[in-house]
Amino acid sequence: MIDLRSDTVTQPTEAMRKAMANAPVGDDVYGDDPSVNRLQQRAAEMLGFEDALFTTSGTQANLLALMSHCDRGDEYICGQQAHNYKYEAGGAAVLGSIQPQPIANNLDGTLPLDQVVAAIKPNDIHFPRTKLLSLENTIGGKVLPQSYLAEAQQLAFYHGLKIHLDGARIANAAVAQGLKIADIAQHFDSVSVCLSKGLCAPVGSLLLGDEHFISRARRWRKMLGGGMRQAGILAAAAEIALTEQVERLADDHANAAALAAGLAEIDELAAGIEVHTNMVFVQISPELMPSLVETLYEQGILISAAKQLRLVTHKDVSSADVQLVVNVCKAFFSRLP
Ligand SMILES: *Cc1c(COP(=O)(O)O)cnc(C)c1O
């Protein structure tokens, strides 16, 4: 199958499987796992933070961040489209007693900063306490401009807020701009990073911040059932994700661009194609959607289709695969009456 549903479907590399088989391990709840400790240390150095925490998932890393920055009755400002608002089952509210204050994202994924300022509550017993601004980069594949991150950081500092980045795909944002991951991370008090998407680790995310913040997060992680034992088996693969899979993301971006260019040769699609980092979005009339999805499926191609098509490139999609997908789409549209 050619699976374009998401970069979460990536298989671990041979190097990862080997490292997993040979990883020295211990009980990480005692802090005894050398492979977990090495991953956390390396990640902290690489992203420019005092400390890091290996987590079961990006959702857990984001929840730990919210619960470590905010107390019961506090609020965080985020985008309407933010993963940690819309796609994490309301964890901040359910488990953290933390109120989200969502703001409509601009088309480029940024939040209008004047509206962020307007949403900050005065210190008054009527209001929740506004504690945190949370951004996402990339968001829907889009890279937030570095100048915007600097402005948001300044705003947060000026208003006494902490600033968190949901950097599930921060490595894509870095590679797309020819930057180091740390160049993006420097604008934030905390960052979450997914290792199990384009970076191909089988399991795991990281949360980064200062020592005090990470020690709070470690306690919440235990409470939430995320204290893992011989987790070095997973950390060994996760380390390779950070050290060997970041630069390769450029291939995914090139494949996404090629896919978009190929699909743009189809008259019915040309006007409604967007490509951002490793994601291609295609507008298609709702009547054609089911039959296109089925035709692709019959040719061994999986895509995710809601209001529009979302095609995600990753390690296990080659440039030949991209060409095949374009050809199947071209044949589909040429057969239409
Ligand atoms: C995937 C994703 C997450 C959550 O990661 P999981 O490991 O799937 O829990 C968080 N934020 C963004 C932007 C994501 O794309």
Side-chain angles (χ1 to χ4, degrees), residues 57-59 62 83 88 136 166 168-169 194 196-197 205:
S57 67
T59 299
N62 277 332
H83 200 283
E88 295 180 7
E136 186 173 315
D166 178 350
R169 294 189 180 85
C194 277
S196 62
K197 293 185 172 169
S205 282

Side-chain angles (χ1 to χ4, degrees), residues 142-156:
K142 292 172 194 166
V143 176
L144 302 186
Q146 286 293 102
S147 58
Y148 173 78
L149 301 187
E151 275 180 71
Q153 179 184 26
Q154 227 172 20
L155 179 158

Side-chain angles (χ1 to χ4, degrees), residues 37 40-53 188-190 207-215 218:
N37 292 341
Q40 291 175 164
Q41 220 161 34
R42 243 183 139 153
E45 277 163 27
M46 191 171 162
L47 274 81
F49 287 94
E50 277 177 19
D51 209 352
L53 189 66
F188 298 90
D189 296 302
S190 60
L207 179 62
L208 299 108
D210 69 22
E211 274 173 22
H212 174 71
F213 170 83
I214 292 296
S215 70
R218 186 172 283 111

